[in-house]
Amino acid sequence: MNHAIRLHETGGPEKLVWEEVPVPSPRPGEALVRHAAVGLNFIDIYFRTGLYKVPSLPAVIGMEAAGTVEAVGEGVEDLKPGDRVAYAMGPIGAYSQLRTIRADVLVKLPDDITSRTAAAMMLQGLTAQYLLRRTRKLQAGETILVHAAAGGVGLILTQWAKALGATVIGTVGSEAKAEIARAHGCDHVILSTDDIAARVNEITRGARLPVVYDSIGRDTFSASLDCLAPFGLLVSYGNASGPVTGVDLGILATKGSLFVTRPTLATYTAKRADLLAMSEDLFEVVRSGKVKIEINQTYALADAADAHRDLEARKTTGSSVLLP
C-alpha cells in the first residue's frame, strides 16, 4: 500500500489531498525509495499555488526526502536495497510514502546522520553550501546580511558563515525569532519592520556590505540593494513575499555598479560530481557540530496542509519535516 499527498488543482493548502496511489516499479536508472521523512520547503508552496508549474495534474509535490532503497532498476550499480539515501532536488514527488526517482540524484547517508536530519537539511543545507562556497566564496572577516535568519536556510547560513569567520547581520519577523537568530550566531538582528538599510548603514558605520542573501523577494529587493557597498552582490534566491518583477537595470548603476544573481540549486547540482562534493561538504560541517540542524516542527505527511499554512504564516522556525 502506498499513500501520497496529491494536488488535483493549484490553489490554497486545502488543495493538498491524502490519497492511496499505486506502488511504482523502478525503471532503468531509477530506485524505489520508502520515505522515512520528507522535507518541507517554500518551493513546495510555489508548486502548490501554481507560481512554479507542475508537469501535469494530478501531481505529487515535494522536492526533498530521506529513506531506504527498496529496489533498483536496470543499470543502477552504486545503490542496493537497504541503502539509506536522501535527495534534495526533483523531479517533484516527495510527498509520498514510496516513490521512484533517478538514482543519480540520490546521495548515500552516513550512519551518524538520521533520516529526519537528512530530510530537514539536504535542500536547505545544499542551498547554503552553494551560496557561501560557490555563488560567492565568503571570506573570513566579511560582514553579510541574511534575510529570514531564523528560517531553515537562514539558520544554516548563519551558522556556516560564522564558522567561516564572517560577521552576520540577520533580519527576522519578530522578537521571538530574533532570540533564535542570536542563539545561532547572528551578531546583529534587525526586525523586518525596521528600516533595514538604515540599520545596516549604522551597524557598518557607513561601509555597507559586500553581499546580501535574500530569500524574501519582492518585499526586500529595494532594501537589499540599499544595503550593498559599491560593486556589492545581491543574491536573490527565493520569493517568499512574491517574485521580483519589472526591475530597471539602471538602478544597479546608480546605486554603485551593483551585481544581482538569481541562482538555483538545480543548476549547481546538475552534475553528479558536484552534488556529491557539495553533500560531503554539508555532511562534514554538520558532523563537526559547527552547523546544527534544528527540526523545530514535525507534521504527519497526511497533515501537509497544516504545515503549509504554518509556513506561509511564518509561524515556523528552523526546519520542518513531514512524517509518512
Side-chain angles (χ1 to χ4, degrees):
M1 185 178 295
N2 184 25
H3 287 82
I5 290 285
R6 291 214 294 178
L7 187 69
H8 291 265
E9 59 180 337
T10 57
E14 73 281 357
K15 302 299 183 182
L16 299 174
V17 184
W18 180 246
E19 297 178 335
E20 185 173 350
V21 295
V23 176
S25 297
R27 294 175 294 184
E30 292 183 339
L32 174 65
V33 178
R34 179 174 293 278
H35 291 148
V38 175
L40 176 71
N41 297 283
F42 227 98
I43 193 173
D44 303 344
I45 292 172
Y46 301 158
F47 278 110
R48 192 205 75 221
T49 61
L51 178 63
Y52 291 178
K53 303 301 181 184
V54 299
S56 62
L57 292 170
V60 178
I61 61 172
M63 302 292 289
E64 171 187 41
T68 304
V69 174
E70 292 216 337
V72 297
E74 181 182 350
V76 177
E77 298 180 351
D78 57 346
L79 291 174
K80 64 183 185 304
D83 284 344
R84 295 177 58 250
V85 294
Y87 60 91
M89 286 303 299
I92 58 173
Y95 282 22
S96 57
Q97 293 175 321
L98 284 156
R99 76 166 297 184
T100 53
I101 189 168
R102 289 190 353 251
D104 62 1
V105 304
L106 296 173
V107 176
K108 290 184 181 179
L109 289 177
D111 291 341
D112 54 354
I113 291 183
T114 68
S115 293
R116 289 194 186 190
T117 298
M121 79 177 190
M122 288 297 289
L123 192 148
Q124 296 168 350
L126 291 177
T127 297
Q129 196 280 341
Y130 82 71
L131 291 175
L132 295 174
R133 310 302 289 155
R134 299 185 65 193
T135 299
R136 181 187 179 281
K137 197 161 187 178
L138 185 65
Q139 303 299 315
E142 290 185 319
T143 300
I144 66 173
L145 177 65
V146 175
H147 283 293
V153 177
L155 287 182
I156 297 173
L157 262 178
T158 296
Q159 293 177 84
W160 206 331
K162 290 298 296 180
L164 293 170
T167 296
V168 180
I169 304 171
T171 71
V172 297
S174 67
E175 287 291 352
K177 290 186 176 182
E179 289 303 313
I180 293 171
R182 291 188 188 98
H184 289 81
C186 258
D187 299 280
H188 308 276
V189 181
I190 302 172
L191 291 179
S192 56
T193 52
D194 292 344
D195 185 330
I196 295 170
R199 288 284 292 117
V200 166
N201 200 55
E202 176 187 338
I203 292 166
T204 62
R205 298 182 180 180
R208 291 177 288 171
L209 306 169
V211 60
V212 171
Y213 297 101
D214 190 341
S215 61
I216 304 300
R218 181 179 57 211
D219 289 355
T220 50
F221 182 75
S222 293
S224 292
L225 292 179
D226 288 337
C227 291
L228 291 169
F231 314 113
L233 172 65
L234 169 55
V235 184
S236 178
Y237 69 97
N239 309 300
S241 66
V244 177
T245 59
V247 177
D248 176 6
L249 290 180
I251 199 172
L252 303 180
T254 61
K255 289 183 179 291
S257 299
L258 303 179
F259 296 84
V260 176
T261 185
R262 182 65 172 86
T264 70
L265 180 59
T267 307
Y268 281 96
T269 59
K271 296 180 180 178
R272 180 158 178 78
D274 289 335
L275 169 63
L276 294 178
M278 291 167 64
S279 298
E280 184 55 38
D281 196 17
L282 173 61
F283 294 155
E284 181 179 342
V285 78
V286 170
R287 295 164 84 183
S288 73
K290 294 176 181 177
V291 171
K292 295 179 172 60
I293 306 301
E294 303 285 355
I295 303 175
N296 293 339
Q297 298 82 210
T298 59
Y299 306 84
L301 179 57
D303 296 330
D306 291 336
H308 276 227
R309 291 186 185 97
D310 288 349
L311 185 59
E312 284 184 292
R314 303 193 184 181
K315 292 182 178 179
T316 64
T317 60
S319 299
S320 304
V321 294
L322 310 173
L323 303 178

